[in-house]
């Protein structure tokens, strides 16, 4: 964000991927910005990945990154396989790691496909059966009272409640039923195992030899898909890096501390000094929705109900700001900005 004649101007760079072969970047300037970005899939490294990389490095062997896929890499792989732009051999055995709806859907897709003979889905905890990714009570008649209680908490307590309400991955009843029916059919080659994790992986003869922590014998797999969801932390939103340098914001458990109208609240350090006026105005013209607004919207920030609540707050505040600053212009001129 910069300023011109005392007014903040946001400059947003947007990258476009052209047919997967090249990319271009365009720059958009705006007086107001609403950041409604979803979760950022950050490819964290499990302990067994670090161990495998170290082992292969000592042997001067390349790491099989094309056979151990993280969340952002799975869909491109499936697209490439479906279009057959690249010749891919069938999979004899596939291991999927994850306990949410995405891992379940991927397991069903692979089991029903002609290019995969056998699929194993593992998760480190017992499955959570829920219609939504938060507890049902947040969608029912008690939602209003629950939110009132949430807003009465301090930011640290809100962050803790957010974590408890979501409780990791969950699977809707209808998807669980599909998994159960698929398991019962021997021809589908699907196995689901709960409360188990990978303890070690060896790479030999183009095969991933996987050992689980349940004491069972190691098994060879052609590929591993890590459908382990997204980590929540503002640091993963590289698009906000420059903004945070110019307009610092406090962060609690990875989430920014916003104002009630979802604008960019000054950090504790920023409040100790007298910020320039254009920076104060810039904070009032940058709004967040979705995951990044979790500390204000509550556990359902990522769901439709939370999205509606956030949209109402943001739209009301944008109208207020435009009325105060452009009251003398006609409607067409006002909304062109």
């Amino acid at each position: 964000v910069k300023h011109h004649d005392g007014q903040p101007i946001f400059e947003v760079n947007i990258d476009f991927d052209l047919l997967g072969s090249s990319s271009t970047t365009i720059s958009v300037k705006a007086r107001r910005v609403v950041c409604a970005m979803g979760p950022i899939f950050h490819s964290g490294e499990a302990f067994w990945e670090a161990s495998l990389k170290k082992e292969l490095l000592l042997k001067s062997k390349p790491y099989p990154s094309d056979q151990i896929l993280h969340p952002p890499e799975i869909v491109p792989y499936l697209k490439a396989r479906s279009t057959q732009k690249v010749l891919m051999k069938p999979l004899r055995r596939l291991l999927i790691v994850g306990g949410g709806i995405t891992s379940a859907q991927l397991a069903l897709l692979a089991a029903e496909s002609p290019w995969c003979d056998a699929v194993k889905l593992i998760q480190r905890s017992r499955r959570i059966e829920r219609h939504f990714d938060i507890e049902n009570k947040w969608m029912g008649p008690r939602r209003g009272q629950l939110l009132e209680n949430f807003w009465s908490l301090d930011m640290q307590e809100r962050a803790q409640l957010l974590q408890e309400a979501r409780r990791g991955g969950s699977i809707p009843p209808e998807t669980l039923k599909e998994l159960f029916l698929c398991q019962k059919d021997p021809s589908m080659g699907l196995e689901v195992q709960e409360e188990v994790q990978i303890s070690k992986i060896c790479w030999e003869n183009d095969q991933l030899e996987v050992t689980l922590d349940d004491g069972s014998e190691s098994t060879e797999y052609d590929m591993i898909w890590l459908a382990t969801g997204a980590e929540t932390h503002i640091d993963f939103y590289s698009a906000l890096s420059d903004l945070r340098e110019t307009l610092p914001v406090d962060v609690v458990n990875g989430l920014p501390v916003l104002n009630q109208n979802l604008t960019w609240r000054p950090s504790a350090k920023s409040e100790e000094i007298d910020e320039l006026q254009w920076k104060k105005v810039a904070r009032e013209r940058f709004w967040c929705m979705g995951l990044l607004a979790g500390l204000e919207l509550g556990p359902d920030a990522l769901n439709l109900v939370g999205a509606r609540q956030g949209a109402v707050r943001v739209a009301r505040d944008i109208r207020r700001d435009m009325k105060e600053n452009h009251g003398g212009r006609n409607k067409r001129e006002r909304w062109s900005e």
Side-chain angles (χ1 to χ4, degrees), residues 1 10-15 25-26 28 33-40 233-247 249 264 286-288 292:
V1 60
F10 295 93
E11 186 171 327
V12 183
N13 294 326
I14 305 172
D15 292 331
T25 301
I26 65 169
V28 177
V33 172
V34 178
C35 179
M37 301 169 68
I40 297 293
H233 205 293
I234 192 173
D235 288 350
F236 302 148
Y237 292 75
S238 57
L240 301 180
S241 298
D242 289 342
L243 179 74
R244 291 174 64 192
E245 287 186 16
T246 307
L247 305 175
V249 65
W264 206 244
F286 185 86
W287 297 265
C288 286
L292 291 177

Side-chain angles (χ1 to χ4, degrees), residues 257-305:
V257 177
L258 308 175
N259 294 308
Q260 288 186 1
N261 59 3
L262 306 186
T263 53
W264 206 244
R265 181 192 291 190
S267 66
K269 288 185 178 180
S270 299
E271 290 181 333
E272 292 176 0
I273 61 175
D274 188 17
E275 272 193 326
L276 296 173
Q277 182 59 29
W278 72 267
K279 290 187 176 183
K280 294 179 180 179
V281 176
R283 290 183 181 279
E284 296 173 356
R285 293 182 180 175
F286 185 86
W287 297 265
C288 286
M289 286 182 56
L291 181 70
L292 291 177
L295 292 175
E296 278 299 325
L297 294 179
D300 59 3
L302 269 176
N303 297 86
L304 289 175
V305 178

Side-chain angles (χ1 to χ4, degrees), residues 48-49 52 56 62-69 91-95 198 200-211 218-226:
W48 54 263
E49 287 183 273
L52 178 60
L56 293 177
Y63 179 76
S65 57
D66 59 336
Q67 291 175 256
I68 301 177
L69 304 186
L91 301 181
R92 187 173 56 88
R93 289 187 62 84
L94 167 66
L95 178 65
I198 296 174
K200 184 180 180 181
I201 289 185
C202 295
W203 172 246
E204 295 290 344
N205 302 320
D206 292 338
Q207 289 287 304
L208 296 159
E209 189 174 298
V210 180
T211 304
S218 58
T219 306
E220 289 186 344
Y221 292 91
D222 297 314
M223 289 192 78
I224 297 175
W225 293 353
L226 301 173

Side-chain angles (χ1 to χ4, degrees), residues 95 120 122 193 196-199 210-216:
L95 178 65
K120 184 166 185 173
I122 64 171
Q193 187 174 354
V196 67
Q197 297 186 75
I198 296 174
S199 63
V210 180
T211 304
L212 303 179
D213 63 0
D214 62 348
S216 60

Side-chain angles (χ1 to χ4, degrees), residues 13-172:
N13 294 326
I14 305 172
D15 292 331
F16 290 92
D17 188 4
L18 302 178
L19 301 178
S21 57
S22 60
S23 62
T24 185
T25 301
I26 65 169
S27 180
V28 177
K29 294 182 178 180
R31 296 183 184 274
R32 301 168 185 83
V33 172
V34 178
C35 179
M37 301 169 68
I40 297 293
F41 288 96
H42 175 70
S43 298
E45 187 175 78
F47 73 91
W48 54 263
E49 287 183 273
S51 177
L52 178 60
K53 288 180 179 179
K54 183 177 180 180
E55 180 184 335
L56 293 177
L57 183 63
L58 292 173
K59 296 179 179 179
S60 299
K61 292 184 178 181
Y63 179 76
S65 57
D66 59 336
Q67 291 175 256
I68 301 177
L69 304 186
H70 286 86
E73 301 166 328
I74 297 174
V75 171
Y77 169 83
L78 291 172
K79 285 184 177 179
R81 184 174 277 283
S82 64
T83 57
Q84 290 297 318
K85 288 184 178 180
V86 180
L87 185 62
M88 297 181 177
K89 62 181 181 180
L91 301 181
R92 187 173 56 88
R93 289 187 62 84
L94 167 66
L95 178 65
I96 300 177
V97 182
I101 184 173
T102 300
S103 61
Q105 291 172 334
L106 287 172
L108 290 169
L109 184 151
E112 295 169 357
S113 71
W115 43 262
C116 186
D117 294 336
V119 185
K120 184 166 185 173
L121 171 63
I122 64 171
Q123 62 183 85
R124 64 183 178 184
S125 58
R126 293 193 65 81
R127 67 170 180 261
I128 300 175
E129 181 178 343
R130 286 195 307 218
H131 288 281
F132 306 100
D133 54 0
I134 57 174
E135 295 172 309
N136 288 342
K137 64 182 181 181
W138 288 95
M139 301 293 175
R142 294 179 54 206
R143 178 176 179 273
Q145 183 59 52
L146 289 170
L147 284 175
E148 288 293 336
N149 296 338
F150 174 79
W151 291 323
S152 70
L153 303 174
D154 63 35
M155 291 302 169
Q156 289 289 351
E157 292 171 327
R158 290 187 192 185
Q160 181 64 32
L161 193 149
L162 288 176
Q163 194 170 0
E164 292 172 356
R166 302 194 76 87
R167 294 172 52 206
S170 59
I171 305 175

